[in-house]
Amino acid sequence: MRPSVNRPPTPDVHENQEKEPTLQETINIKLIESGEKERLMELLRERLVECGWKDEMKAICRAFIKKKGRNNVTVDDLVHVITPKGRASVPDSIKAELLQRIRKFLVSAAL
Amino acid sequence: MSLPNEDNMASQLSSHFFGDLLDSIIVDVASECHRIARLGLDRNLEDEEEELRLSAQARVRVADPSNSGEANSKYVVDIFGQSHPSVASEVFECMNCGRSIVAGRFAPHLEKCMGKGRKARPKVTRSSTAAQNRYSRGSPVSTYSPYSNSTSSNRLSNGTSGVAGEEYSNGTFQEP
């Protein structure tokens, strides 16, 4: 008699239960729900415009668009073009200001 | 009392969230630039192509020997024994937008670059926006002098290349 076919075990339904949210996720949710994330984003946006960072990025985009042709460019292209320079060229004072505010929130949220 | 481990974790988390915010803003900027490019809202792009074409045309006209004579009274030898082409052909960088401009086309370029351009202008500084707000509805020609005092002194008269030729005689554009 042929032995029954060896089937792999049925995946356990309960295996895919929701895992405990990580600390990061929890804080992210608190950031969003309290509106602080929005405020932080607006603050960062404002600072980056003031210091000319946004203009720098737009200039880089424009140079790239001129090279590639304005109808051949995708948003993805532009994101890849400005991300390295963008991340590196944020002025230290702005970065420090934002980090400090985030830390303050973390401290108040974790308690 | 915060332990060093807690501090590390806090720093790490802060950096993570900062990076998150920055990435979102980068995507926003990219999206905005993409939109402007695809909708053709950045007049500078087409203007530049047009300017290059017109510069080429102007150069052809200058190089054409049948033009010299009565039409180009400036194409004569001056007291220093120099003769200037009627369209200054030196190429330099516009200090407002940073583009390479043929000198003979600089005045019309400035008109578009500084005068009637809309909000998407390459260099936005507090002083330039204040100046621009003052005459945003005035005619470009009459407002050259007040503007040139506040940023750089462009002592160019409107397009007459005889004057322009002298200023570029040593090959660089003078800026105090």
Side-chain angles (χ1 to χ4, degrees), chain A residues 24-97:
Chain A
Q24 198 169 280
E25 287 166 8
T26 312
I27 295 185
N28 196 28
I29 292 172
K30 284 201 181 156
L31 267 175
I32 296 174
E33 283 182 351
S34 66
E36 184 68 7
K37 192 165 201 190
E38 185 80 34
R39 281 190 287 269
L40 288 169
M41 188 111 109
E42 284 317 302
L43 175 64
L44 182 55
R45 234 193 277 267
E46 190 183 320
R47 293 277 179 267
L48 290 176
V49 166
E50 279 171 2
C51 72
W53 177 93
K54 185 173 181 188
D55 293 328
E56 252 182 74
M57 297 302 117
K58 282 177 86 167
I60 298 177
C61 286
R62 243 176 289 165
F64 179 82
I65 290 169
K66 209 159 50 165
K67 217 174 52 164
K68 208 172 176 214
R70 60 172 250 259
N71 285 319
N72 300 336
V73 180
T74 65
V75 178
D76 218 34
D77 284 341
L78 294 177
V79 168
H80 283 116
V81 164
I82 57 179
T83 291
K85 182 90 202 283
R87 285 203 182 137
S89 65
V90 177
D92 287 333
S93 57
I94 296 181
K95 191 165 178 182
E97 187 185 351

Side-chain angles (χ1 to χ4, degrees), chain A residues 45 62 66 70 87 103, chain B residues 7 11 23 28 37 42 48:
Chain A
R45 234 193 277 267
R62 243 176 289 165
K66 209 159 50 165
R70 60 172 250 259
R87 285 203 182 137
R103 262 189 103 121
Chain B
D7 269 349
S11 299
D23 283 342
D28 284 348
D42 186 4
E48 239 183 50

Side-chain angles (χ1 to χ4, degrees), chain B residues 73-96:
Chain B
S73 59
K74 290 195 173 66
Y75 209 3
V76 293
V77 176
D78 68 5
I79 60 171
F80 296 109
Q82 294 174 327
S83 69
H84 308 286
S86 61
V87 174
S89 52
E90 166 108 7
V91 178
F92 68 100
E93 194 184 282
C94 168
M95 70 293 307
N96 194 45

Side-chain angles (χ1 to χ4, degrees), chain B residues 10-114:
Chain B
S11 299
Q12 215 181 21
L13 278 174
S14 310
S15 296
H16 165 82
F17 284 119
F18 177 78
D20 217 17
L21 293 171
L22 191 57
D23 283 342
S24 295
I25 292 180
I26 286 178
V27 170
D28 284 348
V29 173
S31 169
E32 192 181 322
C33 287
H34 176 266
R35 174 182 173 266
I36 289 176
R38 294 297 298 251
L39 294 182
L41 293 179
D42 186 4
R43 293 206 54 222
N44 287 348
L45 242 50
E46 295 117 47
D47 284 354
E48 239 183 50
E49 293 157 25
E50 194 205 324
E51 272 177 22
L52 285 173
R53 199 172 33 88
L54 289 173
S55 306
Q57 273 181 21
R59 280 196 222 220
V60 165
R61 245 179 282 133
V62 168
D64 189 358
S66 66
N67 269 351
S68 66
E70 64 284 3
N72 292 353
S73 59
K74 290 195 173 66
Y75 209 3
V76 293
V77 176
D78 68 5
I79 60 171
F80 296 109
Q82 294 174 327
S83 69
H84 308 286
S86 61
V87 174
S89 52
E90 166 108 7
V91 178
F92 68 100
E93 194 184 282
C94 168
M95 70 293 307
N96 194 45
C97 67
R99 300 212 310 249
S100 307
I101 306 294
V102 177
R105 300 282 315 157
F106 188 60
H109 162 75
L110 268 190
E111 264 188 323
K112 289 178 200 135
C113 170
M114 286 182 178

